[in-house]
Amino acid sequence: MSKLYNIKNWTRQNLREWMDEKAGSQAKVQAFRADQVFYWLYQQRVGSFAEMLNLGKETRKLLEENFWISKLKKADEQYSQDGSIKYRLLLEDGKSIESVFMPHTSHNTVCVSSQVGCGMGCDFCMTGTMGLIRNLKTSEIIDQVLTVSNDLEEGKNLRNIVFMGMGEPLDNYEATIDSIKLMISPEALRLSTRKITLSTAGQVDLINKFKEEELSINLAISLNATDNETRENIMPINKKYPIEVLIDCLKKYPLKPQRRHTIEYVLLEGINDSDEDA
């Protein structure tokens, strides 16, 4: 029996190439069928290949013999007075992650995790105390968006995605890139690059690598201190990439017109909240 692949770990290009290869062997499958599969997965949110009605029986059978469609289980939901919902979602291996739905007057946002735990070791972050347990797969990132989106009332949509949950997104580079491509793909979630923000602790080498992807999403930099000594005490990454190196990297980062980097700053009493810091 052949191994089944989680289809949500595959990019549109991966699936097109696979279908193109199958067209010459097992079945008459054209590459454009991949776009139809993406439509059913990400726009119609179906849970089975049998529901993909404009695909032929042979194509559906081929998909069923090679792929499966994932879905995250909700272990817990916590509700805030402002309408925010924090989800604890179960993964296949029994590990859990958190995602947060945040309502706004004009739009809705979901905050997604990129790792189970985090290896950055930031002193003020609860996730950092866990250490890095493992990276999330592309499917586990994208399924957070789908899980929250499916809970929305009819007529309401998610407009913004922020990679500000558990983990350092750039530390899980490939899965993060592939999930962003699914988010902005016209065949998948169809989100604007302006509406996606990736938060990073400031890994300069990976920021420089990321800019070559030319995805044009927003960056948010977790700064949290104005001098190297303070930042090193609360964010170990600063020992490798001091503030001046990080700022120089950001100045050279290509931005589209009217775009700006976001600076994140957690106020810690007596540590980074002086008038001089401001």
Side-chain angles (χ1 to χ4, degrees):
M1 184 176 177
S2 62
K3 177 184 176 182
L4 294 181
Y5 299 99
N6 185 341
I7 197 165
K8 291 178 184 174
N9 286 326
W10 286 43
T11 64
R12 172 174 170 264
Q13 187 59 33
N14 292 152
L15 192 57
R16 285 179 67 92
E17 290 173 359
W18 183 85
M19 287 190 155
D20 190 48
E21 179 185 333
K22 294 299 178 184
S25 56
Q26 294 183 32
K28 294 180 179 178
V29 182
Q30 296 85 12
F32 76 88
R33 295 295 183 195
D35 296 347
Q36 294 176 310
V37 172
F38 267 43
Y39 166 79
W40 287 107
L41 283 176
Y42 299 110
Q43 295 179 34
Q44 294 300 314
R45 313 286 170 84
V46 301
S48 70
F49 297 111
E51 297 172 80
M52 299 181 179
L53 302 178
N54 60 345
L55 297 178
K57 288 184 179 180
E58 283 191 14
T59 301
R60 294 201 299 268
K61 183 173 183 291
L62 187 66
L63 289 168
E64 289 167 354
E65 290 172 348
N66 289 276
F67 296 99
W68 64 285
I69 301 173
S70 61
K71 183 179 181 180
L72 294 177
K73 293 181 180 179
K74 290 181 284 187
D76 188 34
E77 298 171 47
Q78 296 181 13
Y79 295 82
S80 175
Q81 290 182 347
D82 67 358
S84 298
I85 307 171
K86 182 166 73 172
Y87 294 84
R88 186 166 69 88
L89 302 171
L90 287 180
L91 308 176
E92 287 177 68
D93 59 3
K95 303 287 191 301
S96 64
I97 53 173
E98 291 184 346
S99 307
V100 181
F101 166 71
M102 297 174 286
H104 304 278
T105 304
S106 60
H107 63 278
N108 296 300
T109 299
V110 62
C111 173
V112 299
S113 296
S114 55
Q115 297 176 313
V116 182
C118 183
M120 292 293 100
C122 298
D123 193 51
F124 55 87
C125 178
M126 184 62 70
T127 305
T129 64
M130 298 170 59
L132 176 61
I133 297 172
R134 74 167 173 86
N135 286 328
L136 295 185
K137 301 170 186 173
T138 301
S139 58
E140 293 169 329
I141 297 175
I142 209 73
D143 270 334
Q144 294 175 68
V145 180
L146 297 177
T147 298
V148 175
S149 181
N150 289 340
D151 266 7
L152 292 181
E153 298 175 11
E154 188 173 349
K156 291 187 176 181
N157 296 308
L158 288 175
R159 194 185 75 177
N160 290 28
I161 309 292
V162 293
F163 282 80
M164 296 181 183
M166 299 168 67
E168 162 63 45
L170 294 180
D171 228 19
N172 184 13
Y173 193 83
E174 298 301 331
T176 295
I177 296 300
D178 285 349
S179 65
I180 291 171
K181 288 179 179 178
L182 287 173
M183 291 172 187
I184 65 177
S185 169
E187 291 75 26
L189 294 183
R190 301 185 292 180
L191 292 170
S192 165
T193 57
R194 297 179 64 90
K195 307 304 180 183
I196 301 173
T197 301
L198 183 150
S199 174
T200 176
Q203 292 179 283
V204 170
D205 56 340
L206 292 178
I207 293 174
N208 285 328
K209 180 180 179 181
F210 182 74
K211 72 183 181 183
E212 300 301 322
E213 303 286 347
E214 298 184 344
L215 293 174
S216 299
I217 67 166
N218 306 307
L219 281 187
I221 311 303
S222 186
L223 189 63
N224 306 308
T226 59
D227 65 272
N228 285 319
E229 182 180 359
T230 302
R231 195 167 190 262
E232 283 180 18
N233 286 334
I234 60 176
M235 298 184 70
I237 188 70
N238 198 78
K239 295 174 183 177
K240 186 174 182 180
Y241 302 115
I243 291 175
E244 59 271 15
V245 174
L246 174 58
I247 297 301
D248 182 64
C249 166
L250 297 177
K251 285 181 177 179
K252 295 175 181 176
Y253 192 95
L255 288 171
K256 286 194 170 185
Q258 308 304 315
R259 299 283 189 97
R260 298 289 186 271
H261 295 308
T262 298
I263 299 298
E264 300 169 302
Y265 200 96
V266 177
L267 286 175
L268 304 170
E269 187 175 3
I271 296 175
N272 65 0
D273 63 345
S274 69
D275 290 344
E276 289 78 12
D277 289 322

